[in-house]
């Protein structure tokens, strides 16, 4: 996904900063004409990203998520209320997506990570025993104590498909506190637009970054993409998506090359882009059409030219251009 060159900066003085955080480059652009403290606002927004990385990263052993993953099967771990609330929402997202989105997916991520390291595919019995650990039913949540644990051994959580979106929403809130009214936050291609004026966002050919296949406009909302091309496990020369179908245990492998979802919040766009990517074209588009406030652009095919599928709300409002961006 790329920003239109005529985005926020078209007719306003802007400042833009890029930092590496949450495993990706995050770019924040703020219109600064009437905003002398724009640079402070941007730095405060980056601090918010870093704070949430410290809260939600499974790669930091002492983060609350790291601790839940290490100790949660023995006894529930007390976590900050913010993380508890996010976990409760994630469980509801699993229900809404028929299990396509599932934060308890981490044992499968580990299984495929080990397979990548060894260079051999997981064995059937490993797959069966790992799949048994993946289910939001295994979560032990106590709202009263703000604790998270697991009913079974070996369960773990992973906020990889929701954490960045949540952080983008929080960062936008920080910008608003600084009275910023025009901003774009681009976290590795997931984009939030804080602006009453629309910004055009291009959706690019996953095989050719120069080739823009569609465009959507953002206006006080967000877009995120889940795709097969960008992050993957490599085993025996083959590439396997980093998005796992929690129902089969296998990396997603089908006709969909990317699922782009537009929603009122970056959290929703993040969650539903992952879920739609798991579900595939028909069930994914059905979910989008059945869920108020979501729109999608799905690219289908194994090689260029890809088919571009657009949800009915986008077609009606002509907020997307299938070609000639
Ligand atoms: P995204 O790029 O937003 O689609 O998120 C992918 C990341 O989320 C992966 O790197 C995993 O950490 C995690 N993940 C993989 N599969 C799933 C899934 N089915 N549900 C929730 N999280 C997932
Ligand atoms: Mg996601």
């Amino acid at each position: 996904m790329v920003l239109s060159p005529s985005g926020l900066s078209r007719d306003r003085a802007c400042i833009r900063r890029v930092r590496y955080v949450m495993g990706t480059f995050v770019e924040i652009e703020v219109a600064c004409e009437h905003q002398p403290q724009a640079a402070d606002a941007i730095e405060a927004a980056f601090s918010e990203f870093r704070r949430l990385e410290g809260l939600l990263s499974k790669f930091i052993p002492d983060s609350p998520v790291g601790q839940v993953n290490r100790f949660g099967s023995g006894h529930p771990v007390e976590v900050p209320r913010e993380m508890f609330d996010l976990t409760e929402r994630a469980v509801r997202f699993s229900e809404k997506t028929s299990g396509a989105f599932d934060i308890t997916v981490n044992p499968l991520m580990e299984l495929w990570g080990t397979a990548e390291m060894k260079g051999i595919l997981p064995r059937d019995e490993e797959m069966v025993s790992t799949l048994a650990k993946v289910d939001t039913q295994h979560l032990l949540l106590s709202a009263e104590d703000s604790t998270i644990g697991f009913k079974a051994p070996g369960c773990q959580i992973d906020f990889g498909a929701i954490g960045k979106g949540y952080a983008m929403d929080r960062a936008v809130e920080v910008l608003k506190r600084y009275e910023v009214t025009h901003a774009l936050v681009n976290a590795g291609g997931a984009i939030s637009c804080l602006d009453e004026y629309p910004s055009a966002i291009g959706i690019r050919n996953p095989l050719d970054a120069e080739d823009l296949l569609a465009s959507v406009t953002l206006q006080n909302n967000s877009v995120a993409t889940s795709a097969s091309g960008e992050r993957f496990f490599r085993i025996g020369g083959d590439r396997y998506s980093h998005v796992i179908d929690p129902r089969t245990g296998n990396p997603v492998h089908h006709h969909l090359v990317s699922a782009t979802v537009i929603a009122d919040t970056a959290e929703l766009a993040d969650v539903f882009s992952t879920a739609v990517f798991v579900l595939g074209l028909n069930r994914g588009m059905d979910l989008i059409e059945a869920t108020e406030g979501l729109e999608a652009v799905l690219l289908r095919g194994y090689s260029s030219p890809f088919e571009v599928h657009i949800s009915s709300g986008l077609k009606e409002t002509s907020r997307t251009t299938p070609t000639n961006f």
Side-chain angles (χ1 to χ4, degrees):
M1 196 121 44
V2 288
L3 274 179
S4 157
S6 60
L8 193 63
S9 55
R10 182 176 35 212
D11 47 11
R12 307 185 191 111
C14 288
I15 60 169
R16 186 186 305 192
R17 300 276 185 276
V18 183
R19 301 272 186 281
Y20 189 79
V21 60
M22 286 189 145
T24 194
F25 286 99
V26 178
E27 179 184 285
I28 302 180
E29 185 181 358
V30 165
C32 55
E33 277 164 345
H34 309 292
Q35 186 57 44
Q37 70 274 39
D40 293 347
I42 291 179
E43 288 312 320
F46 280 127
S47 294
E48 184 68 347
F49 266 101
R50 282 189 287 270
R51 182 184 74 78
L52 290 166
E53 181 173 27
L55 184 72
L56 300 174
S57 173
K58 65 176 181 175
F59 301 111
I60 303 172
D62 286 332
S63 72
V65 169
Q67 298 204 13
V68 167
N69 284 349
R70 279 196 292 159
F71 308 121
S73 287
H75 55 88
V77 175
E78 188 173 347
V79 298
R81 171 59 56 180
E82 181 181 22
M83 174 176 155
F84 184 86
D85 293 343
L86 183 67
T87 306
E88 279 199 325
R89 290 201 298 281
V91 171
R92 286 201 292 276
F93 290 136
S94 281
E95 289 156 10
K96 281 195 184 140
T97 62
S98 316
F101 169 87
D102 189 335
I103 55 162
T104 69
V105 75
N106 203 49
L108 288 166
M109 294 302 291
E110 296 280 317
L111 180 73
W112 283 96
T114 307
E116 180 175 40
M117 229 160 51
K118 292 185 182 162
I120 39 175
L121 293 172
R123 285 174 299 148
D124 288 351
E125 58 272 27
E126 286 176 313
M127 181 60 89
V128 170
S129 64
T130 307
L131 261 177
K133 297 171 190 162
V134 177
D135 194 327
T136 53
Q137 300 279 347
H138 296 328
L139 285 167
L140 265 175
L141 302 179
S142 164
E144 201 180 325
D145 302 328
S146 190
T147 58
I148 302 175
F150 304 109
K151 294 175 194 159
C155 299
Q156 290 190 331
I157 50 175
D158 174 353
F159 286 109
I162 184 174
K164 196 171 68 179
Y166 174 67
M168 291 168 70
D169 290 336
R170 299 273 58 84
V172 167
E173 287 307 313
V174 168
L175 295 175
K176 284 187 192 164
R177 254 184 270 141
Y178 278 76
E179 293 170 13
V180 168
T181 47
H182 309 296
L184 285 168
V185 176
N186 181 346
I191 297 169
S192 285
C193 168
L194 165 63
D195 205 330
E196 77 238 41
Y197 300 106
S199 280
I201 306 293
I203 297 173
R204 65 189 175 201
N205 182 336
L207 300 182
D208 177 2
E210 299 298 304
D211 182 20
L212 296 176
L213 297 179
S215 78
V216 294
T217 51
L218 288 188
Q219 202 171 355
N220 283 324
N221 56 1
S222 300
V223 64
T225 298
S226 203
S228 51
E230 284 158 11
R231 286 160 60 203
F232 45 81
F233 303 107
R234 195 182 277 284
I235 305 170
D238 293 324
R239 284 161 49 146
Y240 296 85
S241 169
H242 70 116
V243 179
I244 307 279
D245 187 334
R247 300 158 306 172
T248 64
N250 287 313
V252 170
H253 178 73
H254 52 49
H255 50 264
L256 219 53
V257 261
S258 70
T260 296
V261 171
I262 299 125
D264 286 342
T265 67
E267 177 179 313
L268 284 167
D270 199 358
V271 165
F272 280 88
S273 58
T274 304
V276 168
F277 188 61
V278 169
L279 291 170
L281 178 63
N282 294 327
R283 295 195 52 212
M285 196 57 103
D286 287 349
L287 177 66
I288 293 294
E289 298 290 3
T291 311
E292 177 88 28
L294 300 182
E295 301 297 342
V297 180
L298 309 185
L299 300 186
R300 175 193 154 118
Y302 293 97
S303 59
S304 250
F306 296 107
E307 291 168 23
V308 181
H309 294 262
I310 296 164
S311 60
S312 55
L314 280 183
K315 279 184 199 152
E316 273 166 27
T317 57
S318 305
R319 286 170 71 196
T320 190
T321 324
T323 52
N324 299 328
F325 173 69

